[in-house]
Amino acid sequence: MKKGFQFAGYDKATIGTITLDCQSPYGEKRNRCALLPPNVPILAHSLERTQRNWIARSNSPTDIIIQVGDSSFHLHKLAIASRSEYLNRLVFQRGSNREKAGDSLIIQMKNLPGGKKTFELVVKFCYGRKIDITAANIVPLYCAAHFLEMSEDVEEGNLISKTESFLTFLILSSWKDTFRILKSSESISPWAKDLHIVKRCSEAIAWKLCTNPNASSFTCESETPLSNNSVDNWWFEDVSCLRIDHFIEVIQSIRKRGTKPELVGSCIEHWTRKWFSQVTFGLDKETPIPITLQLHRISTECLISILPSEENSVTCNFLLHLIKAGVMLKINSELLCVLERRVALMLEKCRVPDLLVKNQGDKDSLYDVSVVLRVLRFYVCGMSSNQSAKPHSVGRLVDGYLTQVARDENLTMESFKSLVEALPQKARHCDDNLYRAIDMYLKAHPNLAEEDRTDACRVLEYHRLSHEARQHVMQNDRLPLKLTTEFVLLEQVNMATSMTSNGSNYRRTNAQTIIRVNKDMEKRQITNAQEISMMKKDVEMIKSQLLEVYSCKMKLQNQLKRCIR
């Protein structure tokens, strides 16, 4: 089923007819235009194609050969030069790109937008034959018309005005056709940008997106009712199919329209994950390694430059992935620093899954801890100057992250130790979670040498662990012997100190009791010598116990000093 449509303000014979084809793979009506020029100086009976040659058959012989790429078009000067100012100059002016072949003039035409396929449409138009235009070929034809200078000044109803009308119609009426136009512009990008095609498409996408949350319903017949179930990110997949330069144009237009920053950030993340999942960082067999790396480097830098600056507009995990890609591709150091600062400011509100950035290689560790380490160092540098910093929140986050990555058998000792030592001691209330992560690492790496195990446990301190954690340390055979011995001795000293403290309290309590008793005895005039003698014996016994405890304490301290030496 096809319906005709006539442009407002134009005669059907001048512009042509637009038909809507319902059999579209995109699930919408596809726009198609048939152009019929009003005035034709020479009619061709047929346009024959033999191998790479096109020959226009008419009552008069051909007198010009135009070479486009590897194809030759045998045409008539009057038919071509009457509609193209560019070809008119080449035909009637001498130039280096024209030759003679018998009675025919040979012109070599280079850099024509769209190449020979587009020129075939131009030739048909000049000879009065009907040409079908769609969203897939309108841009090359429009650019070729400008290249050939086929304007209204040369001939009324010329190709520039006709293609301009249909191009405007497509951009304003159809959501899908706008993306088809952008896709077809990639092969002739300089012309598409100079003629503002990319800009017009980008602004049309932004306008439809902001004025109609279900902009995909735009058709050339009418607007369908808005869907109540439309989702904010329905347009991500269409936009993510665009090339990086066109994507940036669209994002900038969308931001100018006031789209929510978090929605823009999510769209950038969607595009990046789609395209960078195909990034091989030089392993692509079809593209030379330096070209691949350079393109990916430029793309990464462009993405960073268009990220919304608003808080929570992009996720921490996405920024860490960008840092990882930036380090691998050696992007601009200032842009890399911007990302690191941004993630550092988000750490206090992050969760452990936000920090997990996977590696791709089989021999690498499961997660890229070097990216997190870069951000942690940046955070520590700015922590001293930030009055509102909450290091304990970051301490809990890092301990949880350490527990997660410690299970990885491929995580090196150097990487794990660097993470453990990344934060200062004041960033943790206690070291229980840190001890748990270290114990998990030792469990996952049972073949570590005694020296490496000692190095991993160097940060653990007796007084920074809870009683339950200390008891676990003293019974943990995965820890180095020196550490467990040290904790056992310190536990004994702690017990002795506790007993001494309790003894002093007991002595003070008994002395106070004696004073109170003496006062009562004086008041009551009690003179029982036997009771006084018993109390003296109790005092002497307490003194003797205190001396023994003190002597035990001194022996334990001497043993501890010898062990440490």
Side-chain angles (χ1 to χ4, degrees):
M1 174 181 174
K2 297 181 179 180
K3 293 183 179 180
F5 180 91
Q6 186 174 339
F7 284 96
Y10 291 89
D11 182 74
K12 181 176 179 180
T14 303
I15 293 300
T17 302
I18 297 176
T19 58
L20 300 179
D21 189 353
C22 296
Q23 304 300 320
S24 169
Y26 292 89
E28 65 163 9
K29 297 177 180 179
R30 177 171 289 187
N31 297 321
R32 183 169 59 86
C33 176
L35 294 185
L36 295 170
N39 302 313
V40 181
I42 294 180
L43 288 173
H45 302 313
S46 63
L47 291 173
E48 298 179 0
R49 181 176 182 179
T50 58
Q51 295 181 350
R52 297 179 181 177
N53 297 327
W54 280 84
I55 303 175
R57 302 293 185 186
S58 68
N59 295 330
S60 58
T62 60
D63 53 5
I64 185 173
I65 300 174
I66 298 179
Q67 294 180 341
V68 181
D70 59 354
S71 296
S72 298
F73 294 82
H74 299 256
L75 310 171
H76 299 85
K77 292 179 184 177
L78 183 60
I80 300 299
S82 64
R83 289 196 174 276
S84 168
E85 181 68 26
Y86 174 80
L87 289 175
N88 185 283
R89 289 197 303 270
L90 294 182
V91 169
F92 296 105
Q93 297 178 12
R94 294 183 179 274
S96 58
N97 58 344
R98 48 179 281 167
E99 303 173 4
K100 275 283 188 177
D103 295 332
S104 296
L105 179 67
I106 301 177
I107 294 178
Q108 293 184 355
M109 195 158 53
K110 301 177 181 179
N111 303 322
L112 177 72
K116 61 183 181 182
K117 288 186 177 180
T118 301
F119 193 65
E120 291 174 14
L121 297 176
V122 174
V123 170
K124 289 180 179 180
F125 178 81
C126 291
Y127 279 99
R129 305 182 77 85
K130 185 179 73 171
I131 60 175
D132 289 336
I133 308 176
T134 65
N137 63 12
I138 181 63
V139 173
L141 188 60
Y142 178 72
C143 294
H146 278 273
F147 178 88
L148 297 170
E149 301 175 27
M150 302 176 70
S151 65
E152 296 291 303
D153 296 336
V154 179
E155 181 73 29
E156 185 179 356
N158 214 344
L159 191 57
I160 289 181
S161 62
K162 289 179 179 292
T163 51
E164 166 66 31
S165 299
F166 186 57
L167 180 64
T168 302
F169 170 77
L170 289 178
I171 292 175
L172 294 178
S173 65
S174 174
W175 171 266
K176 285 291 185 181
D177 278 342
T178 307
F179 286 93
R180 293 189 187 105
I181 290 170
L182 283 174
K183 201 67 180 175
S184 66
S185 302
E186 293 180 358
S187 59
I188 50 173
S189 185
W191 277 93
K193 287 186 177 180
D194 291 343
L195 296 175
H196 306 293
I197 296 174
V198 176
K199 183 178 180 181
R200 289 167 63 185
C201 289
S202 301
E203 291 177 347
I205 291 171
W207 171 71
K208 293 171 186 176
L209 195 60
C210 297
T211 58
N212 188 342
N214 192 26
S216 61
S217 64
F218 273 77
T219 65
C220 57
E221 289 185 284
S222 62
E223 295 181 9
T224 59
L226 298 181
S227 172
N228 294 327
N229 298 324
S230 60
V231 183
D232 287 343
N233 63 355
W234 61 266
W235 49 278
F236 283 12
E237 193 60 37
D238 289 326
V239 175
S240 66
C241 293
L242 299 176
R243 199 174 65 182
I244 179 67
D245 52 342
H246 295 170
F247 174 75
I248 290 174
E249 286 272 2
V250 171
I251 289 297
Q252 289 174 340
S253 297
I254 289 174
R255 292 191 65 182
K256 289 178 182 178
R257 286 277 179 175
T259 305
K260 295 178 182 179
E262 56 270 23
L263 204 57
V264 175
S266 297
C267 182
I268 295 173
E269 181 174 350
H270 185 86
W271 186 96
T272 307
R273 293 189 183 279
K274 178 176 180 178
W275 285 84
F276 272 51
S277 63
Q278 305 167 15
V279 170
T280 56
F281 298 107
L283 299 179
D284 191 345
K285 295 180 180 179
E286 297 181 359
T287 308
I289 293 177
I291 296 178
T292 304
L293 293 178
Q294 184 178 5
L295 289 174
H296 293 154
R297 183 185 304 116
I298 294 172
S299 297
T300 304
E301 291 177 347
C302 290
L303 289 172
I304 296 172
S305 64
I306 64 171
L307 286 175
S309 58
E310 288 82 359
E311 186 179 0
N312 299 324
S313 57
V314 286
T315 63
C316 174
N317 189 262
F318 173 57
L319 293 176
L320 287 173
H321 275 87
L322 276 184
I323 294 175
K324 176 182 173 65
V327 172
M328 295 179 67
L329 296 170
K330 299 179 181 178
I331 65 170
N332 183 283
S333 58
E334 292 183 1
L335 289 175
L336 201 59
C337 187
V338 168
L339 290 180
E340 292 172 354
R341 181 186 298 110
R342 187 162 182 173
V343 177
L345 293 174
M346 300 171 68
L347 282 179
E348 294 176 358
K349 298 180 180 179
C350 284
R351 300 174 298 108
V352 172
D354 297 330
L355 303 183
L356 301 179
V357 178
K358 284 192 174 183
N359 281 321
Q360 301 299 326
D362 296 333
K363 296 181 180 180
D364 297 327
S365 58
L366 180 60
Y367 299 106
D368 189 346
V369 298
S370 62
V371 177
V372 178
L373 189 59
R374 293 175 69 98
V375 175
L376 286 177
R377 288 170 176 168
F378 203 102
Y379 175 83
V380 172
C381 289
M383 190 172 64
S384 57
S385 59
N386 186 3
Q387 298 288 342
S388 60
K390 300 177 181 178
H392 292 130
S393 300
V394 179
R396 286 192 298 271
L397 174 68
V398 173
D399 288 346
Y401 178 75
L402 281 168
T403 304
Q404 179 72 28
V405 302
R407 303 182 180 95
D408 184 9
E409 297 178 357
N410 293 329
L411 182 63
T412 63
M413 179 66 198
E414 292 75 15
S415 298
F416 182 76
K417 187 169 177 287
S418 298
L419 274 175
V420 168
E421 298 174 350
L423 292 180
Q425 194 178 74
K426 64 180 181 180
R428 297 180 175 93
H429 287 295
C430 71
D431 289 347
D432 282 17
N433 293 330
L434 180 60
Y435 165 65
R436 186 178 296 109
I438 292 174
D439 182 46
M440 195 166 293
Y441 182 80
L442 296 179
K443 185 177 181 180
H445 301 78
N447 298 324
L448 281 178
E450 182 75 9
E451 182 180 353
D452 290 334
R453 288 190 291 155
T454 301
D455 204 25
C457 300
R458 198 178 301 278
V459 295
L460 295 177
E461 296 184 13
Y462 176 86
H463 67 280
R464 291 186 57 80
L465 293 175
S466 65
H467 177 72
E468 292 78 8
R470 287 181 223 152
Q471 296 298 317
H472 192 276
V473 168
M474 290 184 288
Q475 300 174 15
N476 192 345
D477 56 359
R478 286 187 290 270
L479 299 179
L481 181 61
K482 182 178 180 180
L483 180 70
T484 54
T485 304
E486 178 182 338
F487 269 55
V488 169
L489 291 173
L490 287 172
E491 186 70 15
Q492 291 178 353
V493 171
N494 188 43
M495 289 176 61
T497 304
S498 177
M499 289 175 63
T500 303
S501 176
N502 291 336
S504 299
N505 291 334
Y506 179 71
R507 180 173 56 184
R508 287 196 300 270
T509 303
N510 277 275
Q512 293 171 359
T513 304
I514 293 171
I515 293 171
R516 287 198 300 270
V517 170
N518 286 336
K519 288 181 179 180
D520 290 339
M521 290 173 66
E522 289 176 358
K523 289 179 182 179
R524 299 176 184 178
Q525 297 180 353
I526 299 175
T527 58
N528 193 331
Q530 187 177 1
E531 291 183 3
I532 294 175
S533 177
M534 289 176 63
M535 293 178 70
K536 287 181 178 180
K537 288 180 181 180
D538 289 340
V539 172
E540 292 297 330
M541 184 178 65
I542 291 172
K543 288 181 178 179
S544 175
Q545 291 177 350
L546 289 175
L547 287 174
E548 290 179 3
V549 170
Y550 182 75
S551 176
C552 180
K553 175 183 175 182
M554 295 301 296
K555 289 179 181 179
L556 289 173
Q557 287 179 342
N558 292 332
Q559 291 176 5
L560 177 60
K561 289 179 181 179
R562 285 196 297 271
C563 289
I564 294 176
R565 290 174 185 172

Short mmCIF file of all heavy atoms in Angstrom, two decimals, residues 310-344:
data_model
loop_
_atom_site.label_atom_id
_atom_site.label_comp_id
_atom_site.label_asym_id
_atom_site.label_seq_id
_atom_site.Cartn_x
_atom_site.Cartn_y
_atom_site.Cartn_z
N GLU A 310 28.09 17.58 35.90
CA GLU A 310 27.23 17.55 37.08
C GLU A 310 27.46 16.28 37.90
O GLU A 310 27.81 15.23 37.36
CB GLU A 310 25.75 17.61 36.66
CG GLU A 310 25.30 18.96 36.13
CD GLU A 310 25.65 19.17 34.68
OE1 GLU A 310 26.27 18.27 34.07
OE2 GLU A 310 25.33 20.24 34.13
N GLU A 311 27.27 16.40 39.20
CA GLU A 311 27.46 15.28 40.11
C GLU A 311 26.47 14.15 39.81
O GLU A 311 25.30 14.41 39.50
CB GLU A 311 27.29 15.75 41.56
CG GLU A 311 27.62 14.70 42.60
CD GLU A 311 27.47 15.22 44.02
OE1 GLU A 311 27.10 16.40 44.17
OE2 GLU A 311 27.72 14.45 44.97
N ASN A 312 26.95 12.93 39.86
CA ASN A 312 26.15 11.72 39.63
C ASN A 312 25.63 11.61 38.19
O ASN A 312 24.73 10.81 37.92
CB ASN A 312 24.95 11.66 40.59
CG ASN A 312 25.38 11.61 42.03
OD1 ASN A 312 26.40 11.00 42.37
ND2 ASN A 312 24.64 12.27 42.90
N SER A 313 26.19 12.38 37.27
CA SER A 313 25.76 12.26 35.87
C SER A 313 26.38 11.05 35.18
O SER A 313 25.84 10.56 34.19
CB SER A 313 26.10 13.54 35.10
OG SER A 313 27.49 13.81 35.17
N VAL A 314 27.51 10.58 35.70
CA VAL A 314 28.14 9.36 35.18
C VAL A 314 28.55 8.49 36.37
O VAL A 314 28.82 9.00 37.46
CB VAL A 314 29.37 9.66 34.30
CG1 VAL A 314 28.97 10.19 32.95
CG2 VAL A 314 30.31 10.64 34.98
N THR A 315 28.62 7.20 36.16
CA THR A 315 28.92 6.28 37.26
C THR A 315 30.42 6.18 37.49
O THR A 315 31.23 6.41 36.58
CB THR A 315 28.39 4.87 36.95
OG1 THR A 315 29.05 4.35 35.78
CG2 THR A 315 26.89 4.91 36.69
N CYS A 316 30.78 5.83 38.70
CA CYS A 316 32.18 5.66 39.07
C CYS A 316 32.82 4.53 38.26
O CYS A 316 33.96 4.66 37.79
CB CYS A 316 32.29 5.36 40.57
SG CYS A 316 33.94 4.95 41.14
N ASN A 317 32.09 3.45 38.07
CA ASN A 317 32.64 2.31 37.34
C ASN A 317 32.96 2.68 35.90
O ASN A 317 33.99 2.26 35.34
CB ASN A 317 31.65 1.15 37.39
CG ASN A 317 32.23 -0.13 36.84
OD1 ASN A 317 32.02 -0.50 35.70
ND2 ASN A 317 32.99 -0.83 37.68
N PHE A 318 32.09 3.46 35.27
CA PHE A 318 32.34 3.89 33.90
C PHE A 318 33.59 4.77 33.81
O PHE A 318 34.41 4.63 32.89
CB PHE A 318 31.12 4.64 33.37
CG PHE A 318 31.33 5.27 32.03
CD1 PHE A 318 31.73 4.50 30.94
CD2 PHE A 318 31.12 6.62 31.84
CE1 PHE A 318 31.92 5.08 29.69
CE2 PHE A 318 31.31 7.21 30.59
CZ PHE A 318 31.71 6.43 29.52
N LEU A 319 33.74 5.67 34.76
CA LEU A 319 34.93 6.54 34.78
C LEU A 319 36.20 5.73 34.96
O LEU A 319 37.24 6.02 34.35
CB LEU A 319 34.80 7.59 35.88
CG LEU A 319 33.69 8.63 35.69
CD1 LEU A 319 33.59 9.55 36.91
CD2 LEU A 319 33.92 9.44 34.43
N LEU A 320 36.15 4.69 35.80
CA LEU A 320 37.32 3.84 35.99
C LEU A 320 37.67 3.09 34.70
O LEU A 320 38.85 2.92 34.38
CB LEU A 320 37.06 2.85 37.13
CG LEU A 320 37.09 3.44 38.54
CD1 LEU A 320 36.65 2.38 39.56
CD2 LEU A 320 38.48 3.95 38.90
N HIS A 321 36.65 2.65 33.97
CA HIS A 321 36.92 2.01 32.68
C HIS A 321 37.55 3.00 31.70
O HIS A 321 38.43 2.62 30.91
CB HIS A 321 35.61 1.45 32.10
CG HIS A 321 35.27 0.08 32.61
ND1 HIS A 321 34.56 -0.11 33.78
CD2 HIS A 321 35.55 -1.16 32.15
CE1 HIS A 321 34.40 -1.41 33.98
NE2 HIS A 321 35.00 -2.06 33.01
N LEU A 322 37.11 4.25 31.74
CA LEU A 322 37.72 5.26 30.88
C LEU A 322 39.17 5.51 31.26
O LEU A 322 40.02 5.70 30.38
CB LEU A 322 36.93 6.57 30.98
CG LEU A 322 35.69 6.72 30.09
CD1 LEU A 322 35.10 8.11 30.25
CD2 LEU A 322 36.02 6.47 28.63
N ILE A 323 39.45 5.50 32.56
CA ILE A 323 40.84 5.67 33.01
C ILE A 323 41.69 4.51 32.51
O ILE A 323 42.82 4.71 32.03
CB ILE A 323 40.91 5.77 34.55
CG1 ILE A 323 40.22 7.06 35.03
CG2 ILE A 323 42.35 5.73 35.04
CD1 ILE A 323 40.13 7.19 36.53
N LYS A 324 41.16 3.30 32.62
CA LYS A 324 41.88 2.12 32.15
C LYS A 324 42.21 2.24 30.66
O LYS A 324 43.34 2.02 30.23
CB LYS A 324 41.05 0.87 32.41
CG LYS A 324 41.66 -0.43 31.88
CD LYS A 324 40.73 -1.60 32.14
CE LYS A 324 41.23 -2.87 31.47
NZ LYS A 324 42.50 -3.34 32.02
N ALA A 325 41.18 2.62 29.86
CA ALA A 325 41.40 2.79 28.43
C ALA A 325 42.38 3.93 28.16
O ALA A 325 43.24 3.83 27.28
CB ALA A 325 40.07 3.07 27.72
N GLY A 326 42.25 5.02 28.94
CA GLY A 326 43.14 6.16 28.76
C GLY A 326 44.59 5.84 29.04
O GLY A 326 45.50 6.29 28.34
N VAL A 327 44.84 5.03 30.07
CA VAL A 327 46.21 4.63 30.39
C VAL A 327 46.78 3.75 29.28
O VAL A 327 47.94 3.91 28.86
CB VAL A 327 46.24 3.89 31.74
CG1 VAL A 327 47.62 3.29 32.00
CG2 VAL A 327 45.87 4.85 32.88
N MET A 328 45.99 2.81 28.80
CA MET A 328 46.45 1.91 27.74
C MET A 328 46.74 2.67 26.44
O MET A 328 47.70 2.37 25.74
CB MET A 328 45.40 0.83 27.48
CG MET A 328 45.19 -0.13 28.64
SD MET A 328 43.92 -1.37 28.29
CE MET A 328 44.72 -2.30 26.99
N LEU A 329 45.89 3.67 26.14
CA LEU A 329 46.03 4.40 24.89
C LEU A 329 46.92 5.63 25.01
O LEU A 329 47.16 6.32 24.02
CB LEU A 329 44.63 4.84 24.41
CG LEU A 329 43.67 3.70 24.06
CD1 LEU A 329 42.26 4.25 23.85
CD2 LEU A 329 44.14 2.97 22.83
N LYS A 330 47.38 5.92 26.24
CA LYS A 330 48.28 7.05 26.49
C LYS A 330 47.65 8.37 26.04
O LYS A 330 48.20 9.13 25.25
CB LYS A 330 49.62 6.85 25.79
CG LYS A 330 50.37 5.61 26.25
CD LYS A 330 51.68 5.43 25.51
CE LYS A 330 52.40 4.17 25.99
NZ LYS A 330 53.67 3.95 25.26
N ILE A 331 46.46 8.63 26.56
CA ILE A 331 45.76 9.86 26.21
C ILE A 331 46.41 11.05 26.92
O ILE A 331 47.33 10.89 27.73
CB ILE A 331 44.27 9.78 26.58
CG1 ILE A 331 44.09 9.68 28.11
CG2 ILE A 331 43.59 8.63 25.88
CD1 ILE A 331 42.66 9.84 28.56
N ASN A 332 45.91 12.23 26.62
CA ASN A 332 46.42 13.45 27.24
C ASN A 332 46.40 13.35 28.76
O ASN A 332 45.40 12.97 29.36
CB ASN A 332 45.55 14.63 26.77
CG ASN A 332 46.05 15.95 27.29
OD1 ASN A 332 45.86 16.30 28.45
ND2 ASN A 332 46.70 16.70 26.43
N SER A 333 47.53 13.66 29.39
CA SER A 333 47.67 13.49 30.84
C SER A 333 46.71 14.39 31.62
O SER A 333 46.25 14.01 32.70
CB SER A 333 49.11 13.77 31.28
OG SER A 333 49.49 15.08 30.90
N GLU A 334 46.40 15.55 31.09
CA GLU A 334 45.47 16.45 31.78
C GLU A 334 44.06 15.86 31.82
O GLU A 334 43.37 15.95 32.84
CB GLU A 334 45.46 17.81 31.09
CG GLU A 334 46.77 18.58 31.22
CD GLU A 334 46.70 19.95 30.59
OE1 GLU A 334 45.61 20.30 30.06
OE2 GLU A 334 47.71 20.67 30.60
N LEU A 335 43.64 15.25 30.71
CA LEU A 335 42.32 14.61 30.70
C LEU A 335 42.29 13.43 31.65
O LEU A 335 41.28 13.19 32.33
CB LEU A 335 41.99 14.14 29.28
CG LEU A 335 41.68 15.23 28.25
CD1 LEU A 335 41.48 14.62 26.88
CD2 LEU A 335 40.45 16.02 28.67
N LEU A 336 43.39 12.69 31.72
CA LEU A 336 43.47 11.56 32.64
C LEU A 336 43.39 12.05 34.08
O LEU A 336 42.73 11.43 34.93
CB LEU A 336 44.77 10.79 32.40
CG LEU A 336 44.83 9.35 32.90
CD1 LEU A 336 43.75 8.50 32.26
CD2 LEU A 336 46.20 8.76 32.61
N CYS A 337 44.02 13.16 34.36
CA CYS A 337 44.00 13.74 35.70
C CYS A 337 42.58 14.20 36.07
O CYS A 337 42.16 14.07 37.22
CB CYS A 337 44.97 14.91 35.76
SG CYS A 337 45.20 15.60 37.41
N VAL A 338 41.86 14.71 35.09
CA VAL A 338 40.47 15.14 35.33
C VAL A 338 39.61 13.95 35.76
O VAL A 338 38.82 14.05 36.70
CB VAL A 338 39.89 15.79 34.05
CG1 VAL A 338 38.38 15.96 34.17
CG2 VAL A 338 40.55 17.13 33.80
N LEU A 339 39.79 12.82 35.09
CA LEU A 339 39.04 11.62 35.44
C LEU A 339 39.40 11.13 36.85
O LEU A 339 38.52 10.77 37.64
CB LEU A 339 39.31 10.51 34.43
CG LEU A 339 38.75 10.69 33.02
CD1 LEU A 339 39.12 9.50 32.15
CD2 LEU A 339 37.24 10.85 33.05
N GLU A 340 40.68 11.10 37.15
CA GLU A 340 41.13 10.62 38.47
C GLU A 340 40.58 11.50 39.59
O GLU A 340 40.14 11.00 40.63
CB GLU A 340 42.65 10.58 38.51
CG GLU A 340 43.25 9.51 37.60
CD GLU A 340 44.75 9.62 37.51
OE1 GLU A 340 45.32 10.59 38.06
OE2 GLU A 340 45.39 8.76 36.88
N ARG A 341 40.61 12.80 39.38
CA ARG A 341 40.07 13.72 40.39
C ARG A 341 38.57 13.50 40.58
O ARG A 341 38.07 13.51 41.70
CB ARG A 341 40.34 15.17 39.98
CG ARG A 341 39.83 16.19 41.00
CD ARG A 341 39.96 17.62 40.51
NE ARG A 341 41.34 17.99 40.28
CZ ARG A 341 41.88 18.20 39.08
NH1 ARG A 341 41.12 18.06 37.99
NH2 ARG A 341 43.14 18.53 38.94
N ARG A 342 37.89 13.27 39.48
CA ARG A 342 36.44 13.10 39.55
C ARG A 342 36.07 11.83 40.31
O ARG A 342 35.15 11.83 41.13
CB ARG A 342 35.87 13.05 38.14
CG ARG A 342 34.37 13.05 38.09
CD ARG A 342 33.86 13.44 36.73
NE ARG A 342 32.41 13.49 36.70
CZ ARG A 342 31.69 13.92 35.68
NH1 ARG A 342 32.30 14.35 34.59
NH2 ARG A 342 30.37 13.93 35.72
N VAL A 343 36.79 10.73 40.05
CA VAL A 343 36.52 9.49 40.76
C VAL A 343 36.90 9.63 42.24
O VAL A 343 36.19 9.11 43.11
CB VAL A 343 37.27 8.31 40.12
CG1 VAL A 343 37.03 7.03 40.91
CG2 VAL A 343 36.82 8.12 38.68
N ALA A 344 38.00 10.32 42.51
CA ALA A 344 38.43 10.51 43.90
C ALA A 344 37.36 11.23 44.72
O ALA A 344 37.14 10.91 45.89
CB ALA A 344 39.74 11.30 43.94
#
